[in-house]
Every structure is written in structure tokens, then in C-alpha cells.
Amino acid sequence: MRALVHRLRDRFTHRSSGISRLDLSFRESKDEREYREFVLNQAVAHIRIAYVFALVVTVTYTIFDPFLYTNETTLLRAYFVRYMFLAPPVAAIILLTYTKWYQRNEQLVGSIVVVMFGIGCFLLAYRTNMYATIDNYASVIMTSIYAFFFSGLLFRYSFPCSIAICTLYILAITSVDLPPVLATSLKASLSVVFILLALAAYQKEFVSRQLYVTETREREALARQAQSDSRHIQWLRILAKFLRHEVRQPVAQINSGIELVKILGEHDRRVSDVLDNAILSTQHLWNLIERACRATDIEAYVRQSRLAMVDLKALLSDVITAYQRGSSGLDFRFHCQTQIWLPADAVLIEEAVRNLLNNAASYAYEGTAVTLSLAIDGRDALITVRNSGPIAPEDTGALFSPFSSTRSTPSGEHHGLGLYLVHLVAQQHGGRAELCNLSDGSGVEASIRLPLPALDPTHQSNDNRGLVPT
């Protein structure tokens, strides 16, 4: 029999997710256990609220009992069922949800409470009268809704519990002298409601399990990718340090040998030219290694950022003031109409802005202005740096890549990492860096776009929380 059940489960298993369509469970017991723990952790607060509401409704319904149960015996039975049979288990399970024992046995406990409510509805309707029977019809439907949705039961537990509840109520109907049409209507409508609830609960849990599988796989993929990236960066750092340490000495020895040969052959112009080229080549090799090391150090430096609420206007004002005091031949200006606070690493933001200013100043025409601006653009804080000078190449995005530079000076003077650092800092803060030519072709505009905190500007003030017009 067990082998037959396993074969049926295999046949009706959703292959892409490993979910059995027959009883809505994962093939792997480990996956099933983790899913149940995940669902319980997410839903336990809602389960408590649902049971509290059930307890309140159970006690409140006592008000209507004297009008429904005209016979003193049935009235006393109704009081007994409500206060001794229904209320205590609900109160107990509310307290149990705070224990670890409940986390291990939540399906068993939930099933017992739901079935007890079904028995209670049966006792309240059994051999009473038409009014009490009809009144408990709503109680049975509510109990079925709890079984399928609010008690935290999985479908394979809620389904038989709901069948038991509905069967008990149908037995209670047959014990009361009801008009045949009314009795048939109650039975038929209860069956329809049960089927609809079961279909809705089945679909809800099946979709929930599929989403859980998808999210779990995505988390695992991201974790593997993060681990792989971490290993890759660590490997790059080790490689950079290795090259810097191991190549320095051979390069120094080569340079020493070249200088010695140059001294010995200083009267031969051909030898001198060859040696000069060799010196430039070794210097270029060392510069390449140094650039690789610096690029790796920059990535590690940015990833170690520490966020705090930063006043961008004050930060940029201090930066531009330092440039204004030390400027020679250029006019540095700052435009800002809005005070902006956002979570950021002040050191990284300042370093990125300084790189943009240095880059703009190095290309700006003599006697022109370099303008730093801060403004709100939609949901972003926008930092821009403009200069008047030669325009940038069409593929401006490539300038944010490591080792990218349009300067014609020797490679040793510029490592091509300034804009790369700007890109990393913007990305680390959830934003992006951009560079474009001005519409009139008079210069270039570079910008850093940083997302603002999701707060209502009408309730923000200068308390490290948002935007303040000035």
C-alpha cells in the first residue's frame, strides 16, 4: 500500500519544484521541514490574532443562546459547550503558540482544536430546533474557513478536518425536524462551500510552495554568487600583492643592470637608445602591476563602507570651499537650493566628488569655472560637476571602467581609476554615475545619482531624516 502511494506521488509530482500535487508536500523531507518552519514563522502572529478573534466570537454568541434555545436543557448544554468545551482549547492554543512545543506539533494541535470546534457545533445543533440549527450553519462555515486558512494547517490536514466538521453538521441536521427542502438546501450549500474552500486552499498552498521554491533557489544562487565573487576578489587581492612583492625586486635588478650597461656604453648612441627603451618598458610593466593592485584595493575599500545620515549640502560645501582656497586659474562654484540628508558613507561620497572635481579641473580651459551642484531629481539626490573644456568621446560609459583614461600623458602619471571609484561609490549606495557632453558642446557634465530615503517630505525636518528647503 505504501509503495502504491509513493508511485502515485511520483506520478503527480510537479517536476520543476518537487511538489506532490496529490498531498501538497515536497518529495524531500528536508525541504518539507524547512517550508513548514518558514510558514509558521511568518504566520504565527496572524494565527494568534485569528484564535483570539475566535475566542471573542465564541463567548459573544452566548448573548443569542437564550433566544435560540427555548428548552432549558438545550440552553444549559449550549452554555456548557461554549464555556467548557470550546473556549478552554482556544485559550490554551493561544498560549501554546509562544512555546517551542507548539512549533514542533502545530499541525496536530491545530487539527485537534478545529475538530473540537466541529464537535462543538454538532452538540449545539444536535436535537435542538430549526433556529439553532440554522444559526450553527454559519459557525460550521467559519470553522471550515479556520481549518483551511486561519489555523496554520497544511492542506493535507485541513482537508480531512473540514470533511469531519461538515459530516458532523449534516448528522446534526438529520437529528432535527426540519422541512425537507430546508434540510436539503443546507446540506447542498454546505457541500458547495466546502468544495470552493478546498479548491481555494489547495491553489493557495500550491502557489505558496512554488514561490517558496523560487525564492529559496534565488537566495541560494545569490549566496553562491556572493561567495564566488568574494573568492574572486580575495584571489585578485592576493595576486596583486604577490605581483607587487615578487616583481618589485626583479624589476629593480633589471633597472640596475640597465643603468650599469648604460654607463659602460654611454659613448655608443645606439646602445643608449636601446637601454632607454628598456627602462621605459620596465617602468610601464611596473605601472601596470601597480594599477592592478590599486584597482583591487579600491574595490575592497568601497565594499567596507559604513552608512550614516549625511548632510550632503554641508559636505559638498566644505569640499568646494577647500578647492576655492587652493584654486589657481579656475573658478570653483557651488549651487544648492535644498538641504538633503540621506544614509551614506561621507568619506566615500567626498572622495568620489573630489575625483569628479579633479577630473573636471584637469580638462577645464584656463580662466573658466568648474560648477558643483546639488539638487533633487525625482526620488534621487543629484550631484553634478560641470566644466568648460573638450567634449568626451561618444562611449562615455566606458570611461567609468578601470584603467580607462583619455589623457595622452604617460600611463604612470594617471592610473585611470578616478571615475572607476566614482562608479563603485555610486553603485555601493544604490545609485549610478553618469557622464555626458553639454548640449551646446562647450564642456562635460558628470553626475552621481543617489536614491533618497522613502520618507514623506512634508514631515521631514533637519533631524537627520530628509529634505529641508532653504
Side-chain angles (χ1 to χ4, degrees), residues 352-470:
V353 172
R354 286 184 178 276
N355 278 357
L356 290 183
L357 290 171
N358 290 336
N359 193 67
S362 65
Y363 284 103
Y365 294 136
E366 189 76 15
T368 59
V370 174
T371 305
L372 173 65
S373 302
L374 175 64
I376 303 297
D377 185 16
R379 298 183 179 179
D380 299 327
L382 185 62
I383 303 171
T384 58
V385 175
R386 288 187 177 189
N387 75 327
S388 296
I391 63 174
E394 293 183 2
D395 186 12
T396 56
L399 297 177
F400 290 100
S401 302
F403 316 131
S404 177
S405 178
T406 59
R407 294 181 174 89
S408 58
T409 53
S411 60
E413 187 174 343
H414 298 284
H415 295 285
L417 297 174
L419 291 181
Y420 180 55
L421 172 64
V422 174
H423 162 72
L424 290 178
V425 171
Q427 189 179 59
Q428 184 71 10
H429 290 80
R432 65 181 185 275
E434 299 171 335
L435 190 144
C436 64
N437 294 313
L438 298 177
S439 58
D440 58 2
S442 61
V444 175
E445 177 182 277
S447 62
I448 301 174
R449 187 177 293 273
L450 303 173
L452 293 170
L455 296 173
D456 184 0
T458 60
H459 293 87
Q460 294 166 350
S461 59
N462 189 9
D463 61 352
N464 294 2
R465 289 182 177 273
L467 320 177
V468 181
T470 57

Side-chain angles (χ1 to χ4, degrees), residues 1-13 15 20 22 27:
M1 185 63 181
R2 181 176 296 179
L4 177 60
V5 172
H6 283 301
R7 283 199 298 270
L8 288 173
R9 286 186 61 187
D10 291 341
R11 183 174 182 180
F12 291 99
T13 294
R15 299 297 179 185
S20 171
L22 199 62
R27 283 179 54 86

Side-chain angles (χ1 to χ4, degrees), residues 85-105:
F85 193 80
L86 296 181
V90 177
I93 196 172
I94 294 172
L95 297 176
L96 284 175
T97 56
Y98 292 94
T99 66
K100 292 184 178 180
W101 182 86
Y102 173 78
Q103 296 176 0
R104 295 191 299 268
N105 303 277

Side-chain angles (χ1 to χ4, degrees), residues 105-176:
N105 303 277
E106 84 282 2
Q107 298 299 310
L108 174 62
V109 176
S111 299
I112 291 174
V113 173
V114 167
V115 172
M116 287 185 68
F117 253 80
I119 296 172
C121 293
F122 167 78
L123 295 175
L124 290 171
Y126 184 72
R127 290 186 177 180
T128 53
N129 55 62
M130 180 177 65
Y131 303 107
T133 304
I134 295 175
D135 178 72
N136 280 282
Y137 175 79
S139 300
V140 170
I141 292 178
M142 285 190 289
T143 305
S144 293
I145 293 174
Y146 265 80
F148 281 118
F149 299 106
F150 298 141
S151 60
L153 292 179
L154 299 175
F155 181 80
R156 61 180 179 273
Y157 294 96
S158 61
F159 186 78
C161 287
S162 187
I163 289 179
I165 294 167
C166 294
T167 303
L168 287 171
Y169 180 73
I170 290 173
L171 291 176
I173 291 175
T174 59
S175 70
V176 179

